[in-house]
Amino acid sequence: MTIDFSSRTSVEQVEEGQELAPRFDPEGLIPCVTTAAGSGEVLMLGYMNAEALKRTIETGEAHYWSRSRQVLWHKGATSGLVQTVVELRVDDDQDAIWLRVQIPGDASCHVGYRSCFYRSVPVGPGAPSDQGKRALKFEEQRKVFDPKKVYGDAPNPTKL
Amino acid sequence: MTIDFSSRTSVEQVEEGQELAPRFDPEGLIPCVTTAAGSGEVLMLGYMNAEALKRTIETGEAHYWSRSRQVLWHKGATSGLVQTVVELRVDDDQDAIWLRVQIPGDASCHVGYRSCFYRSVPVGPGAPSDQGKRALKFEEQRKVFDPKKVYGDAPNPTKL
């Protein structure tokens, strides 16, 4: 079985229609917001190429395109933290995906936290500031797993 | 008052530190997931340039970079649907932003729906499919506002 997308023919088709006609950027990618189906917490922002999106739809497990490793990435293949898709949505102009997923152990981030978004930035004119700089605040107090145990010597994906 | 960012000096600083050192893409943009603070629903996926991120932090109201109009975009300036930031988070490698916002009328999407993600795609091997194509399902049954009344003759931002 393979998944097929429709061509984009009109604004009305894209915005108001029932055809899946995703728009990939010049690098062939579409951004994907992934949230925890239970809590609604944003776990990660990833990218999919056409194959990753098709495999996600076919299998019901989240697949991404790893920009750092330049490979199709079945999330959880290394860590075991496979994401089971509860719902997949597409936005108005079909250039973004939203996945609601369930994950074992409720952990997603390669640093070891539950969500990749584990730090907040104080916002608004009254927030503390040091010469215009605002210190990040950790919203998760402890790591859910030890990334060294899970990922071993795999290279860190963060780029400066 | 102006907001200043830190330079990116090490993976540890970026992932585990308290300095805000965002990474913008080659076009100077960083993607931003915006969710409703109450429901956790994903409202939109937008993009910020450095100025939009700084103004969001300074003012506590969401600012984006409009890629279709190529202007700084104070969300709600036209529609009145200003987004008040309840929390701003940054992800592990600081190349994505998550805003939790409150909006009047609980509406965000230029098409008139509450969320930009108003359609779902059936997922998994057992879902209905027509020659590999899967019909989108509307998850919002009615529009929250009439986009023609709110936006008038402004050009539609959706690109084919």
Side-chain angles (χ1 to χ4, degrees), chain A residues 31-95:
Chain A
C32 172
V33 183
T34 303
T35 63
S39 67
E41 185 175 39
V42 177
L43 297 172
M44 54 182 282
L45 179 69
Y47 294 83
M48 293 173 168
N49 61 4
E51 187 183 358
L53 179 55
K54 287 179 178 178
R55 289 207 188 189
T56 300
I57 294 170
E58 274 179 14
T59 64
E61 294 183 348
H63 291 67
Y64 304 92
W65 175 256
S66 167
R67 295 180 304 166
S68 57
R69 290 181 287 141
Q70 293 281 305
V71 292
L72 185 74
W73 171 28
H74 181 198
K75 174 77 179 168
T78 302
S79 66
L81 304 173
V82 170
Q83 298 177 340
T84 301
V85 179
V86 174
E87 189 174 55
L88 189 160
R89 293 205 188 183
V90 66
D91 77 338
D92 42 22
D93 55 354
Q94 302 202 29
D95 69 355

Side-chain angles (χ1 to χ4, degrees), chain A residues 15-16 57 118 124 143 158, chain B residues 15-16 57 118 124 143 158:
Chain A
E15 290 188 348
E16 306 270 13
I57 294 170
Y118 48 85
K143 297 188 180 185
T158 290
Chain B
E15 289 188 348
E16 306 271 13
I57 294 171
Y118 48 84
K143 297 189 181 187
T158 290

